[in-house]
Amino acid sequence: EDKVVQSPLSLVVHEGDTVTLNCSYEVTNFRSLLWYKQEKKAPTFLFMLTSSGIEKKSGRLSSILDKKELFSILNITATQTGDSAVYLCALNYGGATNKLIFGTGTLLAVQP
Amino acid sequence: NAGVTQTPKFRILKIGQSMTLQCTQDMNHNYMYWYRQDPGMGLKLIYYSVGAGITDKGEVPNGYNVSRSTTEDFPLRLELAAPSQTSVYFCASSPSGGPNNEQFFGPGTRLTVL
């Protein structure tokens, strides 16, 4: 059965800390791995990874995919209180239907 | 563009009642999706559509129905509501089925069935 597992389930850090969020998967034939940030409402898109070993960066956030070891990580450096959210990992597995299977998410709380 | 909009934002239903959750997108996207998110869980796909007139089941379709008569609208129908359908419902859309197309999400509808 296809599965996406995120760890840790929750994390509390202080402003300025660096965090690493993990996403491991058991999904065959997926096309891309996506990271979303979910605050109080709708998930908002962060990154899409299609190739192994190529890091994507956006400001203090970066992410990389390892297709051999079947995982991805999301790094956030110099965390701020505005980074507090649930971070969701999803795999695009449905071929041309673009369907996503989501992990349960990591709840990040950044304290001042 | 308003993006993906959903109505209502909140709703309380009694067991056995029916309702329709509305979803509209103004980005001319062909692909639309309905997800539910239970507390502390990720999103699970209920139904999806790859174009007007075409719909298909996702992971958890039981108790729901959909229709897609226009590109813009993708309503989700709950018949005979049950407490197990208490959840937050998100609608999403993407331009096509290409591998580089992310999904854009609406703000969600929080549904409670008592």
Side-chain angles (χ1 to χ4, degrees), chain B residues 1 30-31 59 92-93:
Chain B
N1 286 350
N30 287 318
Y31 287 53
E59 297 175 76
S93 71

Side-chain angles (χ1 to χ4, degrees), chain B residues 6-49:
Chain B
Q6 294 182 237
T7 57
K9 292 183 180 176
F10 305 94
R11 184 73 185 268
I12 298 175
L13 284 182
K14 294 183 179 178
I15 294 171
Q17 288 185 318
S18 300
M19 77 164 293
T20 298
L21 282 67
Q22 301 291 345
C23 175
T24 300
Q25 52 90 13
D26 62 359
M27 298 176 282
N28 202 32
H29 286 173
N30 287 318
Y31 287 53
M32 296 186 75
Y33 310 83
W34 273 107
Y35 294 90
R36 59 177 287 172
Q37 185 177 33
D38 298 332
M41 303 293 287
L43 283 72
K44 291 194 183 297
L45 182 65
I46 305 172
Y47 270 96
Y48 67 100
S49 169

Side-chain angles (χ1 to χ4, degrees), chain A residues 71-91:
Chain A
F71 75 93
S72 173
I73 59 172
L74 175 67
N75 279 320
I76 309 175
T77 60
T79 52
Q80 302 171 356
T81 55
D83 295 327
S84 296
V86 174
Y87 289 84
L88 295 166
C89 171
L91 267 72

Side-chain angles (χ1 to χ4, degrees), chain A residues 90-109:
Chain A
L91 267 72
N92 181 329
Y93 73 107
T97 63
N98 211 21
K99 292 190 291 187
L100 298 179
I101 180 170
F102 281 84
T104 54
T106 293
L107 174 61
L108 173 66

Side-chain angles (χ1 to χ4, degrees), chain A residues 47-58:
Chain A
F47 294 111
M48 179 182 294
L49 304 161
T50 55
S51 300
S52 197
I54 298 176
E55 184 183 53
K56 292 223 173 173
K57 284 188 69 107
S58 176

Side-chain angles (χ1 to χ4, degrees), chain A:
Chain A
E1 181 186 331
D2 293 335
K3 192 164 44 172
V4 179
V5 179
Q6 292 186 245
S7 63
L9 290 180
S10 65
L11 188 58
V12 180
V13 300
H14 290 97
E15 273 192 313
D17 288 348
T18 293
V19 298
T20 298
L21 309 183
N22 300 289
C23 174
S24 63
Y25 57 88
E26 297 174 16
V27 178
T28 54
N29 300 321
F30 73 96
R31 300 199 296 171
S32 58
L33 185 146
L34 297 89
W35 284 95
Y36 283 86
K37 178 182 182 181
Q38 185 178 26
E39 296 174 89
K40 299 239 185 250
K41 294 187 176 180
T44 53
F45 173 76
L46 293 175
F47 294 111
M48 179 182 294
L49 304 161
T50 55
S51 300
S52 197
I54 298 176
E55 184 183 53
K56 292 223 173 173
K57 284 188 69 107
S58 176
R60 296 176 294 103
L61 278 66
S62 64
S63 184
I64 197 162
L65 173 64
D66 186 327
K67 286 189 173 181
K68 183 179 176 186
E69 300 298 330
L70 309 183
F71 75 93
S72 173
I73 59 172
L74 175 67
N75 279 320
I76 309 175
T77 60
T79 52
Q80 302 171 356
T81 55
D83 295 327
S84 296
V86 174
Y87 289 84
L88 295 166
C89 171
L91 267 72
N92 181 329
Y93 73 107
T97 63
N98 211 21
K99 292 190 291 187
L100 298 179
I101 180 170
F102 281 84
T104 54
T106 293
L107 174 61
L108 173 66
V110 182
Q111 294 181 341

